[in-house]
Amino acid sequence: MRRLAHILLMLGLAVTLCAAAGDGEWLRKVPAKDRTRPNPYATDPDAPAAGAKIFAEHCAACHGGEAEGKTEGKHIRPNLHSDRLKQATPGELFWLLTNGSQKNGMPSWSRLPDPQRWQLITFLKSLP
Amino acid sequence: MPSFLPIARSLPLLVVVPIFLLPAPLRAQENYFVTYSHELEEPGNLEIEAKSITGAPKGGNPFLATALEFEYGVKTWWTTELYLDAQTTAAESTVFTGFRWENRVRPLLREHWINPILYFEFEDINAADKALLEVVGHDTRSDFLGRNDRSEKERELEFKLILSSNFQGWNVSENIVAEKNLAGDPWEFGYALGASRALALAASATPCTFCRENFALGAEMYGGLGDRHSFGLHDTSHYLGPVVTWNLPRGPSVRLSPNFGLNDNSHGFLFRFMISYEIDQFVSKLKK
């Protein structure tokens, strides 16, 4: 009985750690020099529309057409209207798009040229 | 000189028919025909690609070969693909030439200056295969002169080290190929190099089909490096050609590449063309 309790405790701990890993763990991995990178497209009037186009093409399938995320099924995809995203710096988001969060199912988007990744960030930052 | 007419008749079967069989298309990601970059399929996505090559070897009959490819993203770090190869040769026949199963694994999860990918493939094809998805060992144009004889089986393991970098909108990729025929032939080696760039790096604000961001231009070069007993360039073939890719927004990708042989062992001219569709979250859509 005690062994079963230990197993359940370890399982609970593992689930908690996994949940924590999927809950913005990537933010702690961003190097300091990347955090402070400014978004060169932050004030570009066309960037939100261009970013929305990129989002519809590459991101909406997982994150939903309205960036509402997905909570059904095996893979949970984060809601991009979240406080975490609002608080993240453009540099942190650029780092995430470049490197992905591979353990959580987010691929690297380094194949998108730098300007398109910045345009996408401008769009994400414009979300209500 | 046999005409291209029979090949033209087979085009709908080999290339056009798959286009109409596919639902809700999206876009592809690679920018080359032979060279691999470090881009893997997004997890859950299925890409269906018809990759074709046509040529008229000196002393042989014109041919058209197509590899129909099903590429699935299992994980962010693992992509698996199944190829079904077929070819038609003028004045001869149209034949199914075998299959290939390949896997690409990304050992380093973050983006680096040079990103390695490990590639493993098992292929069960026959001597009539003309898809020319890679050139290794002492592959030469004379391999294409035999009739559509399918008696010689080629069961092979192929390994590639893919090195690839993205910077300033450019992709530069280098592949080192090692292939082993399971019948006991020596290890054969080859290489592929590619560089490409989108015509515009920033996206336009309005939807557009012909805007520059949807086009990528590049070039690739590939060839054999001999085998374990005679490593080097002696008696090998090599090709070089520009590659243009057009990614239709929310539509298929189309890619074209004229390839030019660089020595007497190579075909003088080959023309490659491809159309591909990517279906997002394929398994999830099936479950619904």
Side-chain angles (χ1 to χ4, degrees):
Chain A
M1 193 62 191
R2 182 179 277 185
R3 179 176 288 179
L4 182 65
H6 274 131
I7 291 170
L8 287 175
L9 185 65
M10 294 304 284
L11 274 175
L13 194 60
V15 169
T16 308
L17 284 172
C18 287
D23 190 24
E25 189 207 10
W26 63 269
L27 270 167
R28 289 193 291 277
K29 296 178 180 170
V30 183
K33 67 177 171 54
D34 290 309
R35 282 182 201 282
T36 53
R37 287 183 72 178
N39 180 354
Y41 285 80
T43 55
D44 183 327
D46 290 337
K53 206 172 80 171
I54 298 164
F55 181 87
E57 182 85 1
H58 298 290
C59 316
C62 286
H63 289 284
E66 302 297 323
E68 74 278 15
K70 287 190 178 169
T71 52
E72 300 169 354
K74 194 170 142 191
H75 303 292
I76 294 170
R77 306 301 185 201
N79 182 329
L80 301 180
H81 299 265
S82 67
D83 287 343
R84 195 192 321 147
L85 193 130
K86 287 188 175 71
Q87 287 158 11
T89 66
E92 287 169 336
L93 293 174
F94 189 85
W95 185 91
L96 177 66
L97 287 172
T98 303
N99 291 280
S101 179
Q102 312 257 353
K103 286 178 189 166
N104 296 316
M106 165 81 173
S108 158
W109 287 99
S110 69
R111 71 185 163 98
L112 291 178
D114 288 14
Q116 291 192 26
R117 273 176 275 158
W118 287 120
Q119 288 174 317
L120 183 55
I121 289 164
T122 306
F123 164 72
L124 293 174
K125 285 291 188 183
S126 73
L127 290 173
Chain B
M1 178 70 182
S3 76
F4 271 95
L5 196 60
I7 289 176
R9 284 196 193 119
S10 303
L11 266 172
L13 179 70
L14 290 173
V15 180
V16 182
V17 167
I19 296 169
F20 295 103
L21 294 177
L22 299 171
L26 289 168
R27 73 280 124 195
Q29 54 201 343
E30 296 282 347
N31 284 334
Y32 312 107
F33 279 91
V34 177
T35 313
Y36 284 87
S37 71
H38 68 294
E39 309 307 340
L40 300 183
E41 193 57 61
E42 287 96 51
N45 287 10
L46 176 72
E47 183 174 297
I48 304 174
E49 197 168 295
K51 210 182 261 184
S52 299
I53 180 170
T54 185
K58 201 185 288 180
N61 295 326
F63 70 91
L64 169 71
T66 294
L68 188 62
E69 173 188 345
F70 300 88
E71 175 177 317
Y72 183 70
V74 184
K75 299 282 182 187
T76 50
W77 48 268
W78 175 22
T79 290
T80 190
E81 292 178 56
L82 176 70
Y83 287 86
L84 302 174
D85 290 7
Q87 60 101 331
T88 182
T89 302
E92 295 184 35
S93 56
T94 299
V95 290
F96 172 70
T97 53
F99 74 92
R100 305 158 195 258
W101 177 43
E102 78 174 43
N103 290 278
R104 282 178 282 151
V105 172
R106 179 179 180 137
L108 303 177
L109 297 185
R110 287 197 203 165
E111 191 74 4
H112 297 270
W113 176 238
I114 296 175
N115 301 280
I117 298 284
L118 305 176
Y119 171 111
F120 314 93
E121 179 187 287
F122 170 73
E123 59 187 50
D124 186 330
I125 55 177
N126 57 53
D129 194 84
K130 294 179 179 176
L132 211 65
L133 296 181
E134 71 277 322
V135 174
V136 292
H138 299 290
D139 291 350
T140 61
R141 67 184 167 86
S142 62
D143 301 333
F144 282 55
L145 301 184
R147 293 189 63 82
N148 281 0
D149 176 13
R150 289 180 285 172
S151 60
E152 187 191 333
K153 276 279 181 189
E154 292 178 357
R155 291 196 177 93
E156 294 173 330
L157 290 177
E158 185 179 303
F159 303 92
K160 285 181 185 167
L161 174 62
I162 298 165
L163 302 172
S164 169
S165 312
N166 286 334
F167 64 96
Q168 304 285 320
W170 283 91
N171 173 265
V172 178
S173 299
E174 309 88 30
N175 299 177
I176 301 157
V177 189
E179 192 174 276
K180 177 80 174 103
N181 188 316
L182 297 178
D185 291 349
W187 282 92
E188 296 178 297
F189 304 100
Y191 70 91
L193 309 167
S196 71
R197 186 185 187 275
L199 292 187
L201 299 185
S204 53
T206 50
C208 54
T209 303
F210 294 101
C211 46
R212 291 190 303 151
E213 80 218 39
N214 294 335
F215 289 87
L217 269 183
E220 69 178 333
M221 181 178 169
Y222 54 93
L225 292 172
D227 59 34
R228 190 169 71 88
H229 303 303
S230 57
F231 186 82
L233 299 178
H234 175 69
D235 202 18
T236 57
S237 58
H238 304 268
Y239 297 90
L240 175 67
V243 188
V244 58
T245 304
W246 179 27
N247 296 307
L248 280 82
R250 307 294 296 172
S253 289
V254 178
R255 187 172 307 137
L256 305 171
S257 178
N259 283 194
F260 302 94
L262 298 179
N263 63 10
D264 289 342
N265 294 319
S266 316
H267 296 278
F269 177 76
L270 295 168
F271 187 73
R272 293 181 182 271
F273 53 99
M274 183 223 78
I275 185 160
S276 72
Y277 293 80
E278 191 169 314
I279 303 169
D280 274 341
Q281 303 304 300
F282 176 71
V283 175
S284 304
K285 281 180 180 166
L286 275 187
K287 284 178 183 169
K288 286 178 187 172

